[in-house]
Amino acid sequence: MLDSIYIGMSGLQGYSRGLKVIANNTANINTPGFKSSSIQFGDMFYANGDQSGTSKGTFGSSGHGLVTGGTTLNFKQGELRQTGNTLDLAVDGEGLFTLKDANGKLHYTRAGQFEFNSSGVLVNRLDGSKVMGRDANGALAEITVNGTRSSNSKATTTVTFKGNVDINSTTVSVGSVKVIDSVGGEHNLTTKLTKTSTDNWSVDISENGVSVGTGAIVFLNGKTVFASSKVVINFAPAGLTSTPLTLDFSTDVTSFAANTTTPTNGNLTPLAFNTQDGFSAGSLTGASFDANGVLVMAYSNGQTSKGNRLALSRFDTVDAVQAVGGNQFDSTDPTAWHSGNAGENGFGSVKSGFVEISNVDLSQEFSDLVIMQRGYQASSQIITTANEMLQELFAMKGK
């Protein structure tokens, strides 16, 4: 009888632990990067009825209850939910982000909720641990925007034009030709074409009525002659060093009579400024990560630059993983862990502006909850019945 009570108690203890696991899963249903767990049950040792301890197979032997063998993590990927924050990151596929705490110890997480701290270093928003990347040599390094908060200016080297130079005109002017000087200043130039002979045009470039350079272009059959389609000048604003500046008419410029159409040109539009390749200095306006985990910084001048690449890690077996709280995991067997880059060697891609939510299946948890409850009730009934039988036995002694 007493054995039955102890067996029933083992059931109560086991199902209580199972309920605790279910409660933890359910409580973390909205925790980013959380991985659900399941408890492992096993039957306790068997002994022969004669208590001799000798092996006789299963004949005459009886079990001694329920034992729990720990929990197993379920690393199935959770749903990727869009947040709109470019520093919220998710791994679509295999891989975990690598973190380094204040003591220099590495941890791993699927919850990519990051930010740049006051020192310009990318950290985990939850505990401030550094998010690790890889430098140019492939070594682990912090990811930072220090030294890259501004984008230097670049002087214009090439200006392109588009449109038609009316063959019947004697002069054609194009204003507001934007160029950037050597220190990032903006200038609006005027380009004036003057017809010198059939298909030959002189080009004068001026700023505020003052000529800053001249040249010539030549057309043939309505198209520019490549060897004579560009004008190169030395642009030297007051007080600044001169820089070479090319005015390019070679690609999208024609010379036909105005208001005519051709099979190749369609409706003709007047000559106009098209593009220039310079830009002023700019400040950092935002940062994100591309699918390969590379930091991409955007600036107010429309330019971008790239920084370090995120370091990802993955494991061969969940037996090498230990949940430590704070949406993080530790390695229990370094030989089963591998590091690499997003999009390479089996690692998933990085999605900026998304976060992976918990992979808890609430319907499964509720189903397991019913099973645990019934198991607990059954174990409790075993104890109650064994107790009643003992009371009957004690009552027989008193008769």
Side-chain angles (χ1 to χ4, degrees), residues 151-157 179-187 207 234-245 276-281:
S151 170
N152 294 331
S153 62
K154 175 183 177 295
T156 302
T157 59
V179 296
I180 306 298
D181 62 29
S182 58
V183 295
E186 183 176 321
H187 301 262
E207 181 180 19
N234 287 317
F235 181 52
L240 301 177
T241 57
S242 65
T243 55
L245 178 62
Q276 61 90 25
D277 60 357
F279 48 84
S280 302

Side-chain angles (χ1 to χ4, degrees), residues 1 20 69 87 97 117 119 150 157-158 167 189 205 255 315 325 337 342-343 345:
M1 300 295 182
K20 183 178 180 180
L87 294 181
F97 300 108
N117 63 15
S119 299
S150 61
T157 59
T158 302
I167 197 172
L189 306 182
I205 304 97
S255 181
F315 50 85
W337 280 77
N345 301 321

Side-chain angles (χ1 to χ4, degrees), residues 206-335:
S206 62
E207 181 180 19
N208 299 324
V210 178
S211 178
V212 296
T214 60
I217 58 173
V218 178
F219 291 91
L220 179 64
N221 298 324
K223 297 287 187 178
T224 53
V225 176
F226 183 77
S228 302
S229 61
K230 298 178 181 180
V231 174
V232 180
I233 67 171
N234 287 317
F235 181 52
L240 301 177
T241 57
S242 65
T243 55
L245 178 62
T246 299
L247 282 70
D248 188 353
F249 299 86
S250 63
T251 304
D252 297 315
V253 178
T254 60
S255 181
F256 296 101
N259 301 320
T260 62
T261 61
T262 69
T264 58
N265 292 292
N267 293 321
L268 300 176
T269 57
L271 184 69
F273 166 69
N274 188 17
T275 65
Q276 61 90 25
D277 60 357
F279 48 84
S280 302
S283 58
L284 184 66
T285 58
S288 61
F289 288 83
D290 64 18
N292 293 321
V294 178
L295 174 64
V296 179
M297 291 161 284
Y299 300 91
S300 58
N301 58 3
Q303 302 304 301
T304 60
S305 66
K306 295 187 176 182
N308 286 347
R309 192 175 188 180
L310 287 165
L312 298 186
S313 301
R314 61 183 174 87
F315 50 85
D316 294 328
T317 171
V318 293
D319 293 335
V321 185
Q322 178 184 11
V324 294
N327 303 340
Q328 296 177 19
F329 304 91
D330 279 355
S331 167
T332 59
D333 180 9
T335 63

Side-chain angles (χ1 to χ4, degrees), residues 74-148:
N74 171 20
F75 260 87
K76 178 182 177 182
Q77 180 172 310
E79 177 189 346
L80 303 187
R81 183 170 296 174
Q82 190 169 9
T83 65
N85 182 352
T86 57
L87 294 181
D88 281 340
L89 305 178
V91 179
D92 189 6
E94 294 288 329
L96 295 90
F97 300 108
T98 306
L99 306 176
K100 179 184 283 188
D101 63 22
N103 297 319
K105 184 177 180 180
L106 296 180
H107 306 280
Y108 309 94
T109 185
R110 292 281 293 189
Q113 295 179 299
F114 305 140
E115 65 182 0
F116 286 102
N117 63 15
S118 58
S119 299
V121 177
L122 188 67
V123 297
N124 182 22
R125 287 207 302 268
L126 191 62
D127 64 355
S129 54
K130 294 180 180 179
V131 182
M132 303 308 294
R134 297 191 181 278
D135 60 20
N137 298 320
L140 284 179
E142 63 185 29
I143 298 175
T144 177
V145 293
N146 290 332
T148 57

